[in-house]
Each structure stands twice: as C-alpha cells, then as structure tokens.
Amino acid sequence: MTRLNLSLLLLLMVHFAHAQWKPVPGKISTDWAAKVNPSNPLPEYPRPQLVRKSWINLNGLWQYAILPKGSDKIPVSYAGQILVPYAVESSLSGVGKMVGENNVLWYNRSIDLPAKMMGGKLLLHFGAVDWSCRVYVNGKLAGEHAGGYDAFSFDLTSLVRKGVKQNISVQVWDPTDDGPQPRGKQVKQPKGIWYTPVTGIWQTVWLENVPQTYIVATKQTPDIDKKQLAVRVEVADLQSGDQLEVTAWEGAKRVALQAGDPQRELILNIPDPRLWSPESPFLYDLKVAVKRKGKTIDEVASYFGMRKSAMAKDAAGIQRMTLNNQFVFQYGPLDQGWWPDGLYTAPTDEALKFDIEKTKALGFNMIRKHVKVEPARWYYHCDKMGMLVWQDMPSGDTGGNVWDAKPGFITGGKLDKDRSPESENIFRKEWKAIMDQCYNYPSIVSWVPFNEAWGQFKTKEIVDWTMKYDPSRLVNAASGGNYFMGAGQVLDLHIYPAPAMPDPAIFGARQALVLGEFGGLGLPIEGHTWLDKGNWGYQSYKNKEDLFAQYTKFISAIPKLIRSGLSAAVYTQTTDVEIETNGLFTYDRKVLKMPLDGMYQLHRQLYDPSLVKW
C-alpha cells in the first residue's frame, strides 16, 4: 500500500468514526469537547510513574448494552456504540443513559493485536471502572475487580488466541447510592450538592507488553534530612540471582546509582538535593531495571521529588503544617473534578491540565481533591507545575451517624457510624489501593480519610492505620466531620461563608489547625449553567463586582487567622458543578467570575513569612 493510499484510508477511518459518534446534546459543554477524536480519545500515556514503550491505547468506540441485572452471559447483540473512557451517563460517551442498580452495563470490542506484542506477557490495564466489573477475553474470564477509583490489570497471556483478532468484553454493575461502596458525590437522583452517576469505564483502557520477569510497581520515599531516596520495587517472576539497578538523574547527569537484591529496599544518596516545592517543582528522573547475568530483562522510567510534608511548633507553641521544614501557608480551592460533558472524565489532557494551570495562575498553591481520585496524569501535572494536593477518600455508605459541630458535645447519636462488615472491608480495601497508587506523587502532602461525617466510622482506628501505613504525609482525620476525637495530625473546620478557625488555645498545641472549607460564594452566569433555573451557592451575588468585593473581605481576614495559628484554608470551589454555581469558573470553564490578576495579588498576602514567628 502506498503512503498516499494509507493516508486516505486513515482519513476515511477517522471520518467513519466521527459519523458513528456524537456527543449527547442538551447540556452545556467545554470547548475541549469539540477536540475529542473518537478514533483516539485521550491518547496520552496513562501511567507517568511507570513508563514502558510497548503499549496500545484501547480508548475509542466500543459496543455497549444495558441489560437486567443477572444477565451474565456475554451478549450476542448490542444497543450501539459508546466512546470509551467516558461514563455511559455522560454526553461524551455518545449514549447519555442511566444504568442503576437493577441493570448491568456491557462493553465489547474486537482488536487487532500486533505480532510484536505476542512475546512475553500481555497485560490489560484499566485506569478506573465504577464500580464492580468482570472482564472476558475471547469469551473466557480474565478477572474481576471491585473499586471505582483504583487502577487494576489482568494477565491475558494464556487467553490470547492465534491470529491477530482478539475480543474483549466487560460487564459492569454500579449501585451508585443504593450500595455501600465509595462513590463520592454520585446519586441516582441528582440535586443540590449531589451529582449525576458515573457508571462503567471512566479512565483509559490499554494493553502493555512486558517480559516474563517484569517490574510491577515501585515505592519511592524521599528523606530530605538524610538526603536520600528509599526505593522498593515489586517484581513478578524473579529468578535466583536477579539484581535490581536503580539510577537517579538530574537531566542528563546521573546523580545516584544503587544495585542489589530486588526483594530489599535500596537507598540512593542524593547529593545537594534540589527540593520540590510550589515555587520550584524540580523532579528527578528515575530508571529502574532488573538485571540477569548483566543483561537488562526489564526497565521502566519514573521520577521523584525531594520534599517533606510534616508539622512543627512555632514560637507560640502552636503546631504548623510544614513543607521542607518551613512553614508554608497552604491555600487552595475545593476541586471536585467534574465536567459537564465528561462527568468524571476530562474531555482531553489539555482540559485536565487547565484547572491546575488556572489554579496556579490565580495564586493558589494547593488543591483539595474532594471525594474523588483523578487519573494518574492529573497528579503528574500537579507534580510538574508545583501544586500541593490534599487527597480525599471518596465517601460512601453515608447516613446513620451524627455530625457533631462542637467539641465534647454529642447531639443525639453516635459520632461513628456502625458499618456492616462488607461496607468496612470495601472501604479499607479501596483506601489502601488508592494510597498505594498515589504514593509516589510528591504533590500529595496530606491524606483525608473522611469528609463531614459522611460514612465516618472507627475514626481513630482508620486514622491510626493511615498514619502508620504512610508516615511520610500528614493525615487530616475528618475534614469538617467529627474531628474532636484527637485522631490524626490535623484538626479541620468547615464553616460557610466567612473564614474562621478552631480555637488555638484548646487544640493548637496538639494538631495543625486548618479551615477545610469556606466561601461558596455563588454567581450564576447566564448561558453557562447546567440548568436554566434552580441554581444556588452558599451565598449568591448578582454581578462580578459584588462577588469580588466580598471575596476580598474574606481573604483580607485570613492573615489575622494565620497569625493566630491557622496553617491552611480551602475555598469552595474551583468550578461550578451541575446546579452549584459557587465556582471560581463556570462549569464549562468559559468564564472566570473574578479578575485573575486581582485574585493573584490578593492571595500573595497569605504567603508572607513574617505572619508566623519561629
């Protein structure tokens, strides 16, 4: 086939894909929706912390069917096409249908597997599927997974048949708010602060070719005080005598090398380490290789940042959150990561970066990722741009316990919910999986297991486990929830709309004090709202000028709180979400409601080091 004929064929294939797919109309959308290529959506490599060259992106048009629960046989016919990895309820999926607890969602796709990927092992990766799924390859079960926010993979080597044609089928069941599983803000009947369900595949699906002995995962822990990086590596199918080689790079310059037993932790000494921070987000490259008799069997590329998240007492004896042994006031928006066209999934990688870039440009240095876990590339962009992240555990199994707003006060019920053994196990399993997959990102400086008593249970036990499992980060036990239990290193108050803080005289000597949510100032912008009527904010305004005037008053009140002991604050929120119009941006990201330069200059006063005495 000539190059011209090949180009024409590819052009025809793209045209055919566009003809078969279009977004579901009826709601607002971002400008990036028009840039979605149904032949190759979200084409970027999905796992920046563990990079190999041999991979195939399986995003694109799949067949789908919505069938009654109990339909466990692979369907012989389908309702139409769905664009993966956008959830079936989303506009960008091309479907826009609800599924619900009484139905299951089926996906199907045939692929051509290149001959070069037939050697070694073949892994099928899913970035995230909400919630429970079974995966079949060529009609045989490849594996099962439950968890809407953690990545997983299956070894397909034994299931691949001769020839290039292979078939993949996926069955998904998601009870949304009718089940005990983590689901964040999803509900079957969206209203108020609760949003549209997200069912099925919502992150990239991809194939990876690896050798028989291969690197599964790495765990990288920086220690800036010792000028070291500790590296643990999980390797599949090790053989006797295999060695691990780990090298750290500053650009083209190798700064550290360590070799040894793959089953032991390796320590790399990093001379004169360049520290990672919002002002200077320097990242070292990392190469990890498995060697056998001097020959490289497998090698992956990664990166790391030398940074320390901790707390220390100031001159007044009040605990402060610190970064790299210095107090840095952490200020950022509550970021829920929702999109009017893709729901949980940003239309493009450019869109995914946009929220972080604008947050940085507005003068924030932190983002609280609220009851959602993002694709790996979101954290990669935070690492590259220098954005601190507080990572929430997605909430679930809500109701049944009391939200206590006063210290030492119980207002008619148990502060901790009694969860069923099934519910507890689901929470613990997914929280551990989320922490494992997010561990290497230097941008994440705090874990938040619970939010506002939403399903909060066994608080001290869960928080103590979290602190022990990852002592390299601070743990904010219950952001705005039942926080007066003495658990965790951070005490977090939610109050709307004006900023306030916990009493430093009572709590400051023991825990860092933060304002986990405030603000919520609303301004609906005509032509940019999810609904024409019924939109709301915690406090609504009619024009941008009045909104910015009130915001200015709020921010101007925070330096006094910082002097008194406040370590961080979170403003609600980055963007409007569905009927909530209290975002800095409209839901479609087309309108910034307050002046960018004005906000940036206003925020600079919060980072004045003279506010705190050491």
Side-chain angles (χ1 to χ4, degrees):
M1 182 180 289
T2 66
R3 183 173 296 179
L4 177 61
N5 288 338
L6 180 60
S7 298
L8 287 172
L9 177 61
L10 291 172
L11 188 63
L12 286 171
M13 290 172 63
V14 170
H15 175 76
F16 178 76
H18 276 281
Q20 295 294 306
W21 167 87
K22 62 179 180 180
V24 178
K27 299 286 187 181
I28 57 175
S29 65
T30 66
D31 288 338
W32 297 284
K35 298 180 180 180
V36 172
N37 176 4
S39 299
N40 195 22
L42 294 170
E44 295 80 12
Y45 189 81
R47 192 183 58 192
Q49 275 282 359
L50 196 73
V51 178
R52 289 188 185 89
K53 294 180 180 179
S54 183
W55 74 290
I56 297 175
N57 194 322
L58 298 185
N59 292 343
L61 290 169
W62 293 49
Q63 295 174 298
Y64 85 95
I66 299 173
L67 300 173
K69 187 180 177 184
S71 303
D72 293 336
K73 291 185 178 180
I74 299 173
V76 295
S77 62
Y78 291 85
Q81 292 187 311
I82 182 171
L83 188 60
V84 169
Y86 306 102
V88 67
E89 296 90 350
S90 73
S91 168
L92 288 177
S93 72
V95 179
K97 294 179 181 178
M98 298 288 187
V99 179
E101 68 162 340
N102 296 319
N103 295 308
V104 292
L105 171 64
W106 278 95
Y107 296 83
N108 184 269
R109 178 175 176 176
S110 293
I111 62 169
D112 292 334
L113 189 63
K116 66 180 181 179
M117 296 192 77
M118 293 294 193
K121 290 187 176 182
L122 186 66
L123 305 180
L124 175 61
H125 297 279
F126 292 84
V129 178
D130 197 356
W131 174 66
S132 173
C133 72
R134 293 183 182 135
V135 179
Y136 299 84
V137 174
N138 297 324
K140 296 180 179 179
L141 182 65
E144 302 179 41
H145 180 265
Y149 300 92
D150 57 311
F152 60 96
S153 60
F154 300 119
D155 185 345
L156 307 188
T157 311
S158 65
L159 303 177
V160 173
R161 59 193 175 196
K162 291 183 180 180
V164 297
K165 285 285 184 186
Q166 314 294 330
N167 183 265
I168 302 172
S169 301
V170 181
Q171 182 203 54
V172 179
W173 177 66
D174 179 18
T176 310
D177 52 330
D178 287 315
Q181 81 289 347
R183 42 90 178 176
K185 292 286 197 79
Q186 303 175 57
V187 293
K188 60 183 181 294
Q189 294 180 335
K191 60 181 179 180
I193 63 169
W194 308 101
Y195 317 133
T196 304
V198 173
T199 301
I201 300 169
W202 67 274
Q203 290 188 30
T204 292
V205 186
W206 53 295
L207 285 170
E208 182 181 33
N209 190 215
V210 298
Q212 191 72 25
T213 297
Y214 68 97
I215 296 163
V216 178
T218 67
K219 184 176 183 180
Q220 299 144 206
T221 307
D223 187 328
I224 68 167
D225 300 319
K226 294 181 179 179
K227 301 181 181 180
Q228 292 178 338
L229 179 76
V231 181
R232 286 190 177 274
V233 182
E234 181 184 351
V235 183
D237 293 325
L238 276 170
Q239 293 186 16
S240 178
D242 286 352
Q243 289 283 294
L244 199 65
E245 183 177 276
V246 182
T247 52
W249 301 78
E250 185 177 338
K253 178 185 176 184
R254 191 178 74 187
V255 296
L257 179 151
Q258 190 61 264
D261 184 344
Q263 296 178 307
R264 306 184 76 139
E265 183 177 78
L266 298 184
I267 303 296
L268 278 70
N269 294 309
I270 310 297
D272 300 318
R274 296 176 61 177
L275 302 185
W276 184 96
S277 70
E279 293 75 25
S280 179
F282 181 80
L283 297 172
Y284 290 88
D285 290 322
L286 192 72
K287 293 181 181 178
V288 182
V290 178
K291 302 270 188 173
R292 182 174 298 154
K293 297 179 180 180
K295 180 182 178 182
T296 298
I297 301 300
D298 187 30
E299 184 175 43
V300 297
S302 187
Y303 67 87
F304 66 95
M306 294 295 291
R307 70 98 184 88
K308 177 181 178 181
S309 176
M311 65 180 190
K313 288 185 177 181
D314 64 16
I318 295 174
Q319 293 283 6
R320 300 280 188 167
M321 299 174 76
T322 60
L323 182 72
N324 300 333
N325 297 321
Q326 302 291 324
F327 173 68
V328 176
F329 186 76
Q330 299 183 23
Y331 181 54
L334 191 77
D335 191 308
Q336 306 202 63
W338 285 77
W339 301 82
D341 31 36
L343 298 180
Y344 259 12
T345 310
T348 66
D349 194 64
E350 181 185 9
L352 192 69
K353 288 173 62 176
F354 175 86
D355 286 0
I356 308 166
E357 290 173 328
K358 291 301 181 182
T359 299
K360 186 91 172 177
L362 287 166
F364 296 101
N365 65 1
M366 176 265 283
I367 291 171
R368 181 182 167 203
K369 180 49 60 178
H370 188 44
V371 295
K372 184 197 177 191
V373 179
E374 291 288 358
R377 291 192 62 83
W378 187 86
Y379 301 97
Y380 168 71
H381 293 315
C382 288
D383 291 345
K384 294 281 287 185
M385 285 186 255
M387 183 60 68
L388 304 173
V389 175
W390 295 6
Q391 180 59 57
D392 284 13
M393 170 63 178
S395 52
D397 201 356
T398 58
N401 56 341
V402 172
W403 184 2
D404 174 30
K406 296 180 181 179
F409 230 38
I410 299 180
T411 55
K414 289 187 65 175
L415 295 183
D416 271 341
K417 179 183 176 71
D418 288 325
R419 287 202 184 196
S420 68
E422 177 197 20
S423 176
E424 281 198 31
N425 290 338
I426 289 171
F427 180 98
R428 293 175 192 271
K429 175 177 174 289
E430 193 153 1
W431 184 222
K432 179 181 180 298
I434 289 167
M435 291 179 67
D436 286 341
Q437 76 178 36
C438 292
Y439 184 87
N440 288 340
Y441 302 116
S443 54
I444 298 178
V445 293
S446 180
W447 299 117
V448 187
F450 298 111
N451 176 75
E452 292 190 354
W454 295 352
Q456 187 176 344
F457 75 103
K458 295 185 178 178
T459 305
K460 192 172 189 313
E461 182 181 330
I462 295 295
V463 171
D464 286 350
W465 178 88
T466 303
M467 292 171 63
K468 184 177 180 180
Y469 195 65
D470 182 9
S472 72
R473 293 177 171 93
L474 295 178
V475 177
N476 181 349
S479 183
N482 294 320
Y483 38 74
F484 298 109
M485 296 183 175
Q489 297 137 311
V490 178
L491 196 153
D492 181 324
L493 175 73
H494 290 186
I495 188 166
Y496 287 94
M501 66 179 291
D503 188 341
I506 299 175
F507 305 104
R510 183 167 50 82
Q511 293 171 295
L513 309 177
V514 307
L515 174 58
E517 292 181 27
F518 81 101
L521 304 179
L523 175 64
I525 303 292
E526 186 176 355
H528 300 275
T529 57
W530 182 250
L531 300 177
D532 292 333
K533 295 181 179 180
N535 300 292
W536 73 279
Y538 287 93
Q539 191 175 79
S540 294
Y541 293 82
K542 294 183 178 180
N543 58 67
K544 295 181 179 181
E545 293 74 22
D546 289 347
L547 177 69
F548 186 54
Q550 184 61 69
Y551 184 79
T552 299
K553 290 180 181 178
F554 284 176
I555 302 307
S556 299
I558 293 179
K560 181 179 179 180
L561 300 179
I562 298 173
R563 291 189 189 96
S564 298
L566 191 68
S567 280
V570 178
Y571 179 81
T572 301
Q573 61 184 327
T574 307
T575 72
D576 296 347
V577 183
E578 299 202 355
I579 72 167
E580 283 191 76
T581 55
N582 47 28
L584 301 170
F585 282 87
T586 54
Y587 197 16
D588 56 15
R589 277 72 167 173
K590 293 178 182 178
V591 179
L592 174 62
K593 301 179 188 179
M594 292 183 278
L596 187 147
D597 289 342
M599 291 185 71
Y600 180 87
Q601 293 302 326
L602 189 62
H603 295 158
R604 297 316 299 165
Q605 64 184 304
L606 306 181
Y607 311 125
D608 183 352
S610 68
L611 292 173
V612 178
K613 304 299 182 184
W614 289 90

